Amino acid sequence: MTRTLLAVDGNSLLHRSFHASARTGFRTPDGRPMWAVRGLLQHLVAAVDRVCADAVVVGFDDPEASVRRDRWPTYKAHRAPKPHTLEEQLLSAVEVLREMGVAVVVPPGLEADDVLASAAAYAPTVGARTVVATSDRDSFQLIDEHTKMLRILNGGVDASPLLDPRRLVLVAGVRPDQYLDFAALRGDTSDNLPGVAGIGPKTAARLLEEFGSAAAAFDDAAGDGARCTRAVGRSTAHKLADPKARETWQHNCRVMTMQPTAELGLDLPAGVGCLPLEVEAVRATYARMDLHVPTAVRALTGAEVPAPQPRDVDAGWVPRSRRMTMRHPPLPRPVEQASVQETLF
């Protein structure tokens, strides 16, 4: 039977939980903020249950260094500093997951996205398949015959779509192998990556439907541009012919490409990174976070928590019968109604 490796984007899911659960203000007895970590643990159990995972790895961004920012200083440069409570919980999440026995990867200079890409590259080499769990659209590029994406949306894991190559076409209008081109043409404002001038999502999808790749579209625009003109109009074809347009696309492709080079430390054939986890470790963690322990134990350890047993039961006890008295007088017998015809006539 083919095993399933669940690769979780820890940064993405913890960020979602940080904002979604901030009103709870949940903290441990020693005062440490934990509401985002608590939400991440809930997502983890639900995702393991949803995809029937046999192994789990959770990836986080390196908080100290970034190869992408070093190479392209404008990358994510517009983002405000993270709140202190978010930074603290990112560190706490790594600690809590590792104490529980989950494989956690914080790749030097890389991001959680790169952990997902590395997991998707690793799984087929050991006869496994991958499900990546994230809310980040960049992971669309990882979907293939061996990899599906559980895209976490509002409503949690159970309300989120599980995307394969066919479903991605319905969602994004492009194939997985075209998604990097699509995203590079469109740009990504959240990462401070402007798209190609004049190219929005609909135009990008039309170009890729016509040419199959962005490179082919730029080649046509640099020539007579006849196909580009038929596909997206003369004005857009003229913009694509500008060398700066191609440079923007190439720059975005380089930044957006996920690196499948992170050291995961997994060995599924040898059981490294595989479920089940230790029952007591899971029980202690979820109890400390005031979460439902039986569900976590069942999902992460495979053990069934026994139902509470009755205590101090007197086997000979029977309910005492008593005479029932009427609290209210009986209602009067209803008067027989006349027929409709008699009433009307």
Side-chain angles (χ1 to χ4, degrees), residues 23 48 60 75 77 81 116 120 150 158 179 195-196 205 216 277 309 324:
R23 60 182 177 79
V48 168
F60 288 92
Y75 176 63
L116 304 189
L150 180 61
D158 291 337
Y179 187 76
V196 175
L277 303 180
Q309 298 299 311
M324 301 297 294

Side-chain angles (χ1 to χ4, degrees), residues 44-214:
L44 178 65
V45 167
V48 168
D49 245 357
R50 172 83 183 270
V51 305
C52 300
D54 299 288
V56 178
V57 61
V58 182
F60 288 92
D61 298 354
D62 182 347
E64 302 296 335
S66 170
V67 170
R68 289 178 176 86
R69 284 197 301 271
D70 290 345
R71 187 172 179 185
W72 302 289
T74 59
Y75 176 63
K76 296 184 179 180
H78 65 306
R79 293 190 180 183
K82 294 183 181 70
H84 173 70
T85 49
L86 175 56
E87 290 185 336
E88 187 174 346
Q89 290 185 78
L90 283 166
L91 297 176
S92 295
V94 174
E95 174 189 329
V96 168
L97 290 169
R98 283 179 172 162
E99 285 178 354
M100 200 167 58
V102 176
V104 177
V105 179
V106 187
L110 298 178
E111 302 177 5
D113 287 349
D114 303 309
V115 176
L116 304 189
S118 302
Y122 165 73
T125 66
V126 292
R129 59 193 168 205
T130 308
V131 175
V132 296
T134 179
S135 59
D136 193 341
R137 294 176 299 177
D138 289 347
S139 291
F140 286 166
Q141 64 186 273
L142 299 178
I143 297 173
D144 60 20
E145 60 180 323
H146 303 292
T147 306
K148 294 182 180 181
M149 176 181 173
L150 180 61
R151 190 182 180 205
I152 310 300
L153 301 174
N154 293 338
V157 169
D158 291 337
S160 299
L162 186 61
L163 302 174
D164 58 15
R166 182 181 62 83
R167 289 175 178 168
L168 179 64
V169 174
L170 299 176
V171 170
V174 295
R175 303 188 309 268
D177 61 288
Q178 296 175 315
Y179 187 76
L180 181 60
D181 275 351
F182 174 81
L185 289 167
R186 178 204 62 206
D188 190 339
T189 55
S190 68
D191 288 342
N192 201 29
L193 296 172
V196 175
I199 305 295
K202 293 182 179 179
T203 303
R206 281 202 299 272
L207 283 170
L208 293 171
E209 182 180 12
E210 173 68 25
F211 291 97
S213 70

